[in-house]
Amino acid sequence: MSTAHTNTRTKILQAMLDLLFSEPPAKTRMSDVATQAGVSRQAVYLHFKNRADLLIAATHFLDEKLDTDARLAASRTAQSGQDRLQAFVTAWGNYIPEIHRIAKVLISMSETDEAAASAWETRMQDMREGCAAAIDALNADGTLSPDFNTEDATDLLWTMLSVHNWEHSTGACGWSQKKYLTMLALTTQKLFYADPVKAP
């Protein structure tokens, strides 16, 4: 892939993020993105077959900019299921405030925009895979609570870590980010550990 090709693709992805993060959010038609990026509409379609493809790629591009690989390193290299779960919960819990703006926009758009709905669903399925990996690690260690099978535990963890729950906790409940993370750690230990540890 040529440098020019890569640079154009990056400009298009950044343009999409700029439109999504604008206040209020701007229109994100392919033509709008082309104008924002300073390229032709044809150039946008050369890189992305449709808006859903572009929106999904833009969320992955944001992940790259926010270095999610580094954020998830502790979870992926954890030596125990318990450590993996807590590292994942911390990583995702700290990630939500940084992606909250784009999450709100995509969720709102999803009600009437199939491309946005597809993009958000794809990202949430990606996050569920992270939940599954953490729960599977607990299960492999023999430290998953016998109250749950792995699928139900994964679904419950996935639900607990939703953006909506973060909004409610830090908004309606008035929790600080630190308290939110502390409560998540305590709750996930109590729920998912076969032998829950006492909270510090």
Side-chain angles (χ1 to χ4, degrees):
M1 187 177 293
S2 69
T3 300
H5 184 90
T6 302
N7 288 343
T8 299
R9 186 176 189 279
T10 298
K11 286 174 62 177
I12 293 168
L13 291 171
Q14 185 60 56
M16 174 59 89
L17 289 182
D18 289 343
L19 292 173
L20 290 170
F21 276 104
S22 62
E23 183 60 55
K27 293 181 179 179
T28 57
R29 298 169 302 186
M30 298 295 255
S31 57
D32 299 317
V33 176
T35 298
Q36 179 73 19
V39 301
S40 68
R41 189 166 176 266
Q42 290 73 20
V44 177
Y45 278 105
L46 177 64
H47 291 269
F48 306 98
K49 61 183 179 181
N50 52 45
R51 274 185 71 249
D53 187 36
L54 174 52
L55 279 165
I56 291 169
T59 63
H60 285 288
F61 181 60
L62 180 60
D63 286 344
E64 292 175 13
K65 290 171 67 70
L66 296 176
D67 201 359
T68 55
D69 283 341
R71 293 166 183 261
L72 291 171
S75 176
R76 291 169 175 167
T77 60
Q79 299 302 302
S80 72
Q82 292 183 354
D83 287 345
R84 178 158 194 165
L85 174 62
Q86 293 308 318
F88 180 76
V89 166
T90 298
W92 176 251
N94 278 323
Y95 196 51
I96 294 176
E98 297 192 52
I99 64 164
H100 182 236
R101 173 66 180 167
I102 193 171
K104 283 191 67 175
V105 172
L106 287 176
I107 291 169
S108 177
M109 290 170 62
S110 293
E111 297 179 5
T112 57
D113 188 326
E114 290 185 6
S118 176
W120 184 244
E121 175 63 19
T122 297
R123 301 309 288 127
M124 289 301 92
Q125 287 299 325
D126 290 342
M127 195 268 274
R128 188 186 186 281
E129 290 180 5
C131 293
I135 294 298
D136 286 345
L138 273 181
N139 190 52
D141 282 354
T143 55
L144 176 64
S145 169
D147 293 333
F148 301 101
N149 58 44
T150 55
E151 184 174 357
D152 288 345
T154 295
D155 285 340
L156 182 55
L157 178 61
W158 189 32
T159 300
M160 290 171 63
L161 297 181
S162 74
V163 172
H164 288 306
N165 283 340
W166 176 84
E167 288 179 331
H168 188 78
S169 297
T170 59
C173 296
W175 291 0
S176 65
Q177 179 67 10
K178 181 178 180 181
K179 181 173 181 178
Y180 167 75
L181 292 172
T182 299
M183 295 299 281
L184 268 185
L186 175 61
T187 304
T188 51
Q189 289 170 16
K190 295 290 187 182
L191 277 175
F192 300 122
Y193 288 10
D195 183 20
V197 296
K198 292 184 178 181

